[in-house]
Amino acid sequence: MTDHILAINPGATSTKIGYFEDDVLQWKHELTYSYEKVAEYQTIMEQYGFRYQDIADYLTTKNLSAGSLDAVVGRGGLLPPVDAGAYLVNDAIMDCLKNRPILEHASNLGASLAKGISEKFGTLECQAYIYDPVTVDQMEDVARISGLALIERKSIGHVLNIRAVCMKVAEDELKKPYEESNFVVAHVGGGSSASAHQKGRMIDLISDDEGLFSAERTGGLPLKEVIPLCYSYSRQEMTDLTRKKGGLVSYFGTNDARAIEKKAQQGDAKAKIVLEAMAYQIAKTIGELATVLYGKVDGIILTGGLAHSARITELVKERTSFLAPVYIVPGEEELTALAKGARRVLTGQEKANIFRELAYN
C-alpha cells in the first residue's frame, strides 16, 4: 500500500513543498514572497495564515483533497535541544515554537503548517511530524566544555541534511547501516556546520560561529581582534557582520561562489587565495573532528551548496583523503530527507518522539 506524504520547508522568503508516494518525489513547488511581503509581519508566526492558505490553494490545484495524505512533515524549528529523529506535532511543540523559540527563524513555522495541512488534507489516521530540527543535540558531555564557565558549546547546525547524507552514503557506498558507520561531515553553503558521527549518533558539531567560514558567515575569529570591534559596532551590527556580511561577502561583496570561482579561473590572485583558505578551513575542521572519532573514520562527506565547486572540493580532498574516502554530495535535499523520515515512522522503522518541553530544559 502506497504512503502519500507531503513535506513542507519554510524559508525566509519562500515555502518549499514536495509530494511523495512512499519516499519517491512526485512533484515539488516553491511559493516565493518578496522581502516587502514578509516585512509586513512583526514575527515569523504571524506569517502562518497566508503561508498556510497558499499551500492549501496550491494543493487544491493538484487535485488533493481531504483524505489524500497519510502524513505531513515540516522542517523542525528552533526547539530546545532534542534528540534526533521524528517528533509528533503536538500542542507543546507549537506553543514552544510560537512563544519560546531559541531563535526567530522561518523553520519555526514548519510544525504548525504541517499540523494545519494534515487536518485539512489528511486521512483520519494522518499525523503531522517534524524531523531532525536544527537543535538536535547528541553531543557527549566532554564536547560541551567551551573553555569559559559562563558559556557552554551548543549543537545547532544543518542536521536534517547532514544526517540524511550520512544515511545515503552509508547505504549506497559503504553498504552498511548508518548506525554501524563513522563519518565526518562538512556542510558548507550560505552558512556552515561540520559534525562527527559515531555509530548513528552525532557526537560533536562545530557550527559557523566556531570553525569554518562560509559564503556569508565568518566562522571562528581571533578573539583578541574581535573584542575591540564590539566597542565600535552595536550588537546588531556585529551580528550582521559575522552572520550576513562575513565569509565570501566580506572579501568580495557577494555570496556567489560561482562568480568568485570564475575570477580565480581567470587568474585573480585574491579569489584564488580566499577560496584556498575556505578549503583549508574546511579541511582543518574535518581533521579536528576526526580526532573525536580517534581517527576511526569510514567516510568524509562534503555537502551543501559549495560542494558544487570542483575547486573547493578538490582542495579539501588533497588535505583530507589520507584520513578516509571523501564523498561529495552537493546541495541539499531537505524535502526528500523530511519525507524519508516520515516514511520511516509510517513503516515502523522509527518511532516518533513525543516532545514535552520540561523534559528538554
Side-chain angles (χ1 to χ4, degrees), residues 134 161 314:
V134 296
N161 186 55
E314 285 304 313

Side-chain angles (χ1 to χ4, degrees), residues 182-186 286 297-302 316 320-321 323-328:
N182 289 354
F183 290 111
V184 175
V185 187
I286 289 168
V297 184
D298 294 312
I300 295 164
I301 305 174
L302 303 180
V316 174
T320 60
S321 59
L323 291 166
V326 180
Y327 302 99
I328 312 300

Side-chain angles (χ1 to χ4, degrees), residues 72-264:
V72 184
V73 55
R75 186 179 177 198
L78 279 97
L79 295 165
V82 294
D83 204 353
Y87 284 81
L88 185 70
V89 175
N90 58 13
D91 290 342
I93 280 182
M94 292 191 293
D95 177 62
C96 182
L97 291 173
K98 179 179 180 180
N99 299 308
R100 295 172 302 283
I102 299 299
L103 290 170
E104 275 280 293
H105 192 273
S107 63
N108 294 340
L109 282 164
S112 295
L113 289 171
K115 183 70 170 176
I117 295 298
S118 71
E119 291 173 347
K120 183 173 178 64
F121 292 91
T123 64
L124 292 176
E125 295 79 22
C126 180
Q127 296 284 2
Y129 304 97
I130 59 171
Y131 198 88
D132 277 351
V134 296
T135 50
V136 164
D137 185 347
Q138 298 176 315
M139 285 169 60
E140 295 182 332
D141 288 342
V142 68
R144 301 182 191 284
I145 305 300
S146 69
L148 181 65
L150 297 172
I151 299 171
E152 184 178 84
R153 294 187 66 241
K154 298 186 183 301
S155 177
I156 298 178
H158 302 83
V159 182
L160 179 63
N161 186 55
I162 282 174
R163 291 187 75 243
V165 297
C166 285
M167 294 178 198
K168 176 180 175 61
V169 171
E171 180 180 348
D172 294 349
E173 304 292 342
L174 304 185
K175 308 300 182 184
K176 64 180 182 179
Y178 168 52
E179 291 76 16
E180 296 177 10
S181 307
N182 289 354
F183 290 111
V184 175
V185 187
H187 177 120
V188 189
S192 60
S193 54
S195 51
H197 299 248
Q198 184 177 63
K199 307 302 182 189
R201 291 186 65 79
M202 190 176 69
I203 61 172
D204 200 353
L205 182 142
I206 297 175
S207 63
D208 50 26
D209 59 348
E210 291 184 298
L212 57 174
F213 72 82
S214 66
E216 299 174 358
R217 297 174 186 170
T218 61
L221 295 171
L223 276 178
K224 284 186 284 190
E225 304 294 332
V226 172
I227 290 170
L229 289 179
C230 294
Y231 293 90
S232 302
Y233 295 89
S234 69
R235 177 173 178 170
Q236 186 58 55
E237 287 170 337
M238 282 299 296
T239 299
D240 289 346
L241 199 62
T242 56
R243 304 288 293 174
K244 297 178 181 179
K245 300 176 181 179
L248 298 181
V249 174
S250 178
Y251 291 99
F252 300 101
T254 179
N255 63 2
D256 188 346
R258 290 168 298 184
I260 299 165
E261 188 163 11
K262 186 174 180 181
K263 284 177 176 286

Side-chain angles (χ1 to χ4, degrees), residues 51-65:
R51 292 205 190 217
Y52 165 82
Q53 193 59 54
D54 286 350
I55 296 170
D57 290 346
Y58 186 78
L59 294 183
T60 300
T61 70
K62 302 296 286 187
N63 297 318
L64 269 67
S65 58

